[in-house]
Amino acid sequence: REQSDNVIPLGTHSKEAEQSVSEPVEKINRWKGIAESDTPLAAALDSLNNAERGFDAKAFLEGAKLAYEAIVLGFAAGDRQMLKSLLSRDVFESFVSAIAEREKKGETVETTFVSIDNATIQDVHLKGKTAQISVEFVSKLITATKDMNGAIIEGSRDKVADVTDIWTFSREVGSKDPSWRVVATEAAE
């Protein structure tokens, strides 16, 4: 019986055969659930992974969701110390300015985080040693802004609002500090 060149007989196992079979599958599935294969986003994630060995996009997204919730709640509470550890200097100064303006008017914000319905990586940039990842968050929040007398002047204490934000996280590749900081925020339209 003749063997075809593309048939590996049962009962044999070689490293070459294992590699040739597993490599395309690994490449196809590498960013499964994060990015479609052979897209600019998958290529950008590959570049980031080459620069930062062991980059785990799913773990990154889980951390980004935790940071998003903490920052939204920290902003509402005016928790400058917590915000400082998660935001770049420019974003921190912008948030602190908004908090100070609110405090000057005697306003307070009550925010209840209902859910993050979706978090997806939209874009990845690697410029020199700086990596930036933009994430779109689709969440549900209950937010009410109250004046100094406790009257609601914006939002509602019981109405759930759908919120879509795009936040950009950044860190130096190869840094000993594993923290990603938010360098830009925008409300999606």
Side-chain angles (χ1 to χ4, degrees), residues 73-84:
L73 295 175
F75 176 72
D79 188 345
R80 291 167 174 84
Q81 186 172 343
M82 188 279 302
L83 292 172
K84 189 171 189 172

Side-chain angles (χ1 to χ4, degrees), residues 61-88:
L61 274 176
E62 288 306 310
K65 288 192 285 189
L66 292 172
Y68 178 75
E69 182 174 354
I71 292 166
V72 167
L73 295 175
F75 176 72
D79 188 345
R80 291 167 174 84
Q81 186 172 343
M82 188 279 302
L83 292 172
K84 189 171 189 172
S85 68
L86 297 172
L87 305 173
S88 70

Side-chain angles (χ1 to χ4, degrees), residues 32-180:
K32 186 175 181 174
I34 303 293
E36 296 292 322
S37 60
D38 297 327
T39 62
L41 180 57
L45 286 164
D46 285 338
S47 293
L48 176 56
N49 189 60
N50 289 337
E52 180 86 13
R53 287 284 178 204
F55 172 73
D56 183 337
K58 288 181 182 178
F60 167 82
L61 274 176
E62 288 306 310
K65 288 192 285 189
L66 292 172
Y68 178 75
E69 182 174 354
I71 292 166
V72 167
L73 295 175
F75 176 72
D79 188 345
R80 291 167 174 84
Q81 186 172 343
M82 188 279 302
L83 292 172
K84 189 171 189 172
S85 68
L86 297 172
L87 305 173
S88 70
R89 182 184 313 210
D90 290 345
V91 174
F92 175 73
E93 288 173 2
S94 175
F95 277 40
V96 166
S97 176
I99 291 168
E101 185 65 29
R102 192 171 66 209
E103 290 171 345
K104 187 170 126 183
K105 294 177 184 176
E107 297 174 353
T108 57
V109 177
E110 289 179 3
T111 297
T112 302
F113 216 93
V114 177
S115 65
I116 295 178
D117 296 337
N118 198 17
T120 55
I121 295 176
Q122 298 294 304
D123 202 6
V124 175
H125 286 287
L126 191 58
K127 195 174 219 177
K129 288 196 150 266
T130 303
Q132 291 191 341
I133 301 177
S134 296
V135 178
E136 180 183 69
F137 296 98
V138 178
S139 62
K140 292 188 182 333
L141 303 172
I142 300 171
T143 301
T145 302
K146 299 184 296 184
D147 67 14
M148 66 178 69
N149 299 316
I152 295 174
I153 56 173
E154 187 178 330
S156 167
R157 279 193 171 130
D158 54 9
K159 183 179 179 205
V160 177
D162 293 318
V163 178
T164 302
D165 289 314
I166 298 173
W167 287 14
T168 302
F169 295 81
S170 181
R171 81 179 280 275
E172 293 301 309
V173 174
S175 169
K176 290 180 183 181
D177 180 1
S179 302
W180 290 80

